Amino acid sequence: FKRNVTNGKNYKYIVFWNNRNIRRKLPGDVIMAYKQFCDQLPKEEAEKCALIMHTQPRDENGTDLPEVVKELCPNYDVIFSHKKLDDRELRYLYNIADVGINMASNEGFGLGTCESLMCGTPIVVNVTGGLQDQCGFKKEDGSYLTVDDYTDEFQSNHRGRYKEHGDWAYPVFPSNLSLQGSPPTPYIFDDRPSYEDAADGIKHFYDMSADERKECGEKGVEFVQMEEIGMTAENMSNRFIKDMDTAFEKWTPRKRYTLFKA
């Protein structure tokens, strides 16, 4: 499977991006981060690296990614995986990767990098939305920051209130916060990361040995399986039950009214 994906080339270091080709996922920034990373390496070392993008290469909701590669990243290997894969084949991609990346400027959960961690692959992520919950940020008392810690006063860690994090993640704090929106979602913070900072994250794991990366990934597996983190299917189901019970307990019916023909 690996030889099919990589056209038979044996790469030393693989960066994996699994997302839709849409604007908020910042696929162009991912390519630029990968280019910035490769620019730091000797030519012979950069030739042993690859970025695999599991997505539609061209999408009206995103951009023409092959053209981006052709114009902005022509000297480095970017591989597009655009065919639908079953769970087994997708696990192969997560496992042949050395690091997963998600630079989305707003992200409710971040399934791709969570699945990376489930497969023992370290991640580079923007500190926004659900992606920050995969980093293992630690509070003053040494316990992990969880969704239960967010309040109206502290809605996100995107400003870097907590910096200490798990070894399995390289958090990229956004360099710019912009308020965006649409009719269905009138406002949402768009946390824009710098591709240069993301490149540093890719380089961070590149500079490790394979055994060190594996150790980081194993810590990530342990983290996402913790009950208080709640990212396994069982824990997510239990949290859904708990939150629905809370919704029913606090639910207030709307006042009934009658329509009269005027």
Side-chain angles (χ1 to χ4, degrees), residues 129-177:
L131 292 176
Q132 62 193 306
D133 299 328
Q134 301 172 21
C135 295
F137 286 114
K138 289 188 177 181
K139 298 180 291 185
E140 293 87 353
D141 61 2
S143 62
Y144 287 119
L145 181 69
T146 69
V147 293
D148 296 325
D149 293 308
Y150 297 108
T151 64
D152 289 341
E153 291 72 34
F154 175 62
Q155 299 179 353
S156 174
N157 193 38
H158 57 186
R159 296 186 186 273
R161 176 173 174 180
Y162 300 105
K163 294 288 182 66
E164 186 180 355
H165 58 85
D167 294 338
W168 55 87
Y170 187 99
V172 180
F173 290 94
S175 59
N176 175 271
L177 277 61

Side-chain angles (χ1 to χ4, degrees), residues 14-29:
I14 293 177
V15 182
F16 182 46
W17 184 79
N18 178 19
N19 262 309
R20 284 188 63 200
N21 178 5
I22 57 177
R23 293 177 184 86
R24 71 177 178 85
K25 301 289 188 176
L26 307 186
D29 290 75

Side-chain angles (χ1 to χ4, degrees), residues 99-117:
V99 64
I101 186 170
N102 190 335
M103 292 179 63
S105 57
N106 50 73
E107 187 72 271
F109 181 71
L111 183 61
T113 44
C114 184
E115 290 179 338
S116 287
L117 290 179

Side-chain angles (χ1 to χ4, degrees), residues 68-132:
V68 174
V69 173
K70 176 184 174 182
E71 295 296 327
L72 301 180
C73 189
N75 299 320
Y76 307 121
D77 288 358
V78 178
I79 300 168
F80 292 103
S81 163
H82 59 87
K83 294 182 179 179
K84 185 175 178 59
L85 302 177
D86 59 32
D87 292 345
R88 178 177 59 89
E89 292 170 323
L90 193 55
R91 282 198 301 270
Y92 287 157
L93 279 180
Y94 286 123
N95 279 283
I96 67 175
D98 294 280
V99 64
I101 186 170
N102 190 335
M103 292 179 63
S105 57
N106 50 73
E107 187 72 271
F109 181 71
L111 183 61
T113 44
C114 184
E115 290 179 338
S116 287
L117 290 179
M118 286 288 185
C119 293
T121 303
I123 59 173
V124 175
V125 292
N126 183 24
V127 182
T128 189
L131 292 176
Q132 62 193 306

